[in-house]
Amino acid sequence: MERIHAGHAPQLLPTGPHPLMPVAQLYARDVPDMTCPQDADLLQVLWCPFDDAIEGCSEAVQVRWRRAADVTDILVAAPEPAYIGNDDLIPTPCVVHPEQVREYPSADELEEELWRRLYRWEDEIGLSYRGDLSGAPGWKVGGWAAPFTFREPDEEDERRCPTCQAPTSPLLTVPSGEWDGESGSWRPAGDEPEADAPPYPGNVNPTQVTVSRGYTLQFYGCTSDPRHLPVTVMQ
Ligand SMILES: [Zn+2]
């Protein structure tokens, strides 16, 4: 028992840099709202699957803009790290079927008078602004900043590009599921709701990625130079 509680001896772990894990690969032809740099039509997102590494801005989370025509020498198997921090950060490989949707900004982004009017209006029409109209759930490109669900945003603008201080904009959102009880009206047609039961993965979370305690990790890209390291914020 003592050995179990002591954990794995760090000196026995392999040393040296870890390969980053592929997270998403998106082609401009499939995602028309993705704003690519002029000479790129492919976005590759990679991260180091450790809880304390995926948030903030560091080499542990990277976006690579490439030209799809240049990607010719494809590895059969992606290199794997010798060990990982959290297997909830290893996506189950799956293909994406992007759908263009219109979402409205979260209530946090609106003037108080406007969201008060919205809340009165949603009572009249029987829709939830938060669940049905703002912040579409699921993996997505672009859109609005996700609402903060478990803390207030930093007073300093934590979403500025640390490299050049330019503003950033939402690039990719990695949630912990495609919809939940409140946002079920966004469920794609054909994806039947399912009980929380095997077989996994199901439609609710086909990637099997869970961010921390079921949060959302949003990637913000630099508006001045999209090749700067992204800022990631857990929301
Ligand atoms: Zn920048």
Side-chain angles (χ1 to χ4, degrees), residues 161-168 222-226 228-229:
C161 171
T163 309
C164 72
Q165 299 303 311
T168 60
C222 177
T223 54
S224 169
D225 184 343
H228 286 167
L229 284 174

Side-chain angles (χ1 to χ4, degrees), residues 168-192:
T168 60
S169 62
L171 172 65
L172 177 73
T173 302
V174 176
S176 296
E178 292 298 299
W179 70 85
D180 62 15
E182 188 181 30
S183 59
S185 62
W186 291 96
R187 178 169 51 82
D191 279 4
E192 293 309 316

